[in-house]
Amino acid sequence: MGKIFYLMGKSASGKDTIYKRILKECPQLKTVVLYTTRPMREGETEGVEYYFTTPEQLRAYEKAGKIIELRTYQTVYGPWSYATVDDGRIDLENGDYLVIGTLESYEKMRDYYGADVVEPIYVTVDDGLRLERALARERQQQEPKYAELCRRFLADEEDFSEENRKRCGIVREYRNEDLDTCVKEILDTVCSRRQ
């Protein structure tokens, strides 16, 4: 039986960069691409970071019983939804997966597949550094969304509170103060499984 390694952390903790590095170092890992109704950012590709979809299509998946987890955030630009869809692409008999998401989505996926299958990889970083990274990333956008950056930053404090992490059974943290060190620690956990 395969495993789902669930990478999560607050916004601008380096999850996307770590995710790409792990996939490069462990090409045997498969991925699960989430669905979202939020607009595509510059540099994103359909079917790579997300499947960009509509609220109507997500409702159709929900009606068909294919939603593993669905979250909707009331952003300053209106509601943005994110969902993991049981679209037939997850085959645990034939491999391990690397998934990126939130604590809430981790909890729902763990409940769906089982705690023995879904392993948390929680990335953390100093809040000051995280805010600097988020601001630098947002400045690169053609139309920076600073108000949304602030909303996400504050929401993450609550979403990833120590109490919530304990409730979800997350006991190990991977500190991303130095990217190479953090990636190596995660690779030691993830890539060693099937070698």
Side-chain angles (χ1 to χ4, degrees):
M1 175 67 93
K3 267 202 165 314
I4 298 172
F5 295 99
Y6 209 96
L7 181 65
M8 67 191 118
K10 297 174 183 176
S11 60
S13 60
K15 297 181 304 290
D16 292 330
T17 302
I18 291 168
Y19 179 81
K20 290 172 185 172
R21 292 263 307 262
I22 292 171
L23 289 175
K24 183 177 179 184
E25 295 293 324
C26 297
Q28 74 273 20
L29 288 173
K30 299 176 183 186
T31 62
V32 176
V33 179
L34 302 180
Y35 290 70
T36 186
T37 61
R38 84 152 165 77
M40 187 183 296
R41 292 181 184 149
E42 285 180 48
E44 291 182 326
T45 304
E46 171 70 24
V48 175
E49 287 83 8
Y50 294 99
Y51 292 114
F52 295 92
T53 191
T54 63
E56 295 77 23
Q57 182 60 52
L58 285 184
R59 281 193 290 277
Y61 284 130
E62 193 167 32
K63 188 175 179 180
K66 295 187 176 287
I67 298 289
I68 295 171
E69 60 87 23
L70 171 66
R71 296 158 278 126
T72 300
Y73 300 102
Q74 298 304 320
T75 76
V76 296
Y77 298 96
W80 290 351
S81 296
Y82 297 82
T84 306
V85 178
D86 189 353
D87 56 8
R89 293 185 173 110
I90 299 174
D91 178 7
L92 291 168
E93 295 300 319
N94 291 303
D96 295 330
Y97 289 78
L98 182 65
V99 177
I100 189 169
T102 66
L103 185 64
E104 179 185 358
S105 61
Y106 157 75
E107 187 174 20
K108 290 180 180 174
M109 187 168 269
R110 180 203 63 201
D111 292 348
Y112 189 86
Y113 286 105
D116 56 327
V117 172
V118 184
E119 184 171 327
I121 306 285
Y122 176 61
V123 175
T124 185
V125 71
D126 170 76
D127 282 341
L129 181 56
R130 193 167 65 82
L131 189 54
E132 286 176 17
R133 290 175 180 176
L135 187 57
R137 179 178 68 190
E138 203 59 39
R139 283 185 175 138
Q140 294 175 357
Q141 299 299 311
Q142 189 171 0
E143 293 181 36
K145 295 175 171 58
Y146 297 116
E148 176 56 20
L149 178 154
C150 293
R151 184 206 65 79
R152 279 195 325 264
F153 189 87
L154 295 173
D156 279 349
E157 289 303 304
E158 183 177 330
D159 293 345
F160 285 97
S161 69
E162 185 175 349
E163 178 183 321
N164 286 341
R165 292 192 320 267
K166 282 183 180 177
R167 186 191 77 245
C168 290
I170 296 173
V171 294
R172 182 167 183 191
E173 295 182 357
Y174 296 85
R175 298 214 41 93
N176 188 17
E177 305 301 331
D178 176 77
L179 179 63
D180 290 333
T181 301
C182 183
V183 168
K184 183 185 179 318
E185 289 176 6
I186 295 171
L187 287 172
D188 288 346
T189 299
V190 174
C191 288
S192 62
R193 188 173 132 70
R194 293 232 176 192
Q195 291 180 346

